Amino acid sequence: MRATVAPTIFFKDRHYLEKDWRYYFAEDEVCSNEKVVLEVGCGSGSTLFPLMAAFPNIYVHACDLSPHAIELVKSNVNFIEDRVNAIVCDVTLESLCEKIDPFSVDVVTLVFMLSAVSPSKMPLILENIKTVIKPNGYVLLRDYAAGDFAQVKLQKKDRMIGEDFYVRGDGTCSFYFSEDFLSTLFLRAGFHTVDMNTYCREVYNRSRNVTMNRYFPLHVLASKEN
């Protein structure tokens, strides 16, 4: 699996996830206990810090393959040691249970992370996640969908290295998911789909006079009951 953050690449904070995923992070009306979140492939923290600001009741395990990414998280002005456990971990090889208590996580987030991994390693990641997530905990995924404008461009440049799997010019990889592929992938790992939606948005680039169809699936998947 490739490192998710290069030394000179930074990503905008993803505040839109506060609205999309509010239900899963907000305090429960019955129980106001702290919710434990695991972000796999946290990068520089563009997902975790907006979520922490919006939901003061969450504690986050932030893991990434890249030591540089974890350094960026820890150096962020919003980093709070009592609320974030930032760890270097290759989830395709290293057991999450060695760094996180088994069956202790309420919500796992996978935001534009799984697509960077070879399809052959995706089941290993989900099996690893299953060892730390609580029964009836949630896996929340947002990633690239098949048919996206970026996939079309890569096809034209003959960048395909496998079915729906491509290598970009900078050497990083990107997989484009169909809903059937994701449903099957999670089902085989012991998860069932609660909700699955693919968002299509037209983006017009004035400087290039090009209209781009961007597809981003927002998937909500619940862990299988024990």
Side-chain angles (χ1 to χ4, degrees), residues 1-9 11 64-66 112-119 143-144 150-151 154 157-162 164-176:
M1 188 172 73
R2 296 177 184 271
T4 58
V5 176
T8 58
I9 296 177
F11 300 94
D64 200 286
L65 170 68
S66 167
F112 297 105
M113 175 271 168
L114 206 60
S115 58
V117 180
S118 168
D143 221 315
Y144 300 111
Q151 181 184 16
L154 290 169
K157 293 180 179 180
D158 196 25
R159 292 283 186 173
M160 182 182 289
I161 55 177
D164 292 323
F165 195 41
Y166 301 81
V167 61
R168 301 188 185 97
D170 61 1
T172 60
C173 296
S174 184
F175 187 87
Y176 294 84

Side-chain angles (χ1 to χ4, degrees), residues 25 35-42 48 51 59-64 85 87 89 91 96 100 104-111 125 128-133 138-140:
F25 297 106
K35 287 194 175 182
V36 179
V37 178
L38 165 62
E39 185 177 5
V40 182
C42 63
L48 74 92
L51 289 177
Y59 177 87
V60 182
H61 297 288
C63 78
D64 200 286
N85 172 35
I87 54 177
C89 183
V91 291
L96 285 167
I100 302 170
S104 63
V105 174
D106 295 287
V107 182
V108 177
T109 60
L110 294 167
V111 182
I125 296 172
N128 205 353
I129 288 171
K130 196 166 63 172
T131 65
V132 295
I133 195 170
Y138 291 96
V139 178
L140 308 179

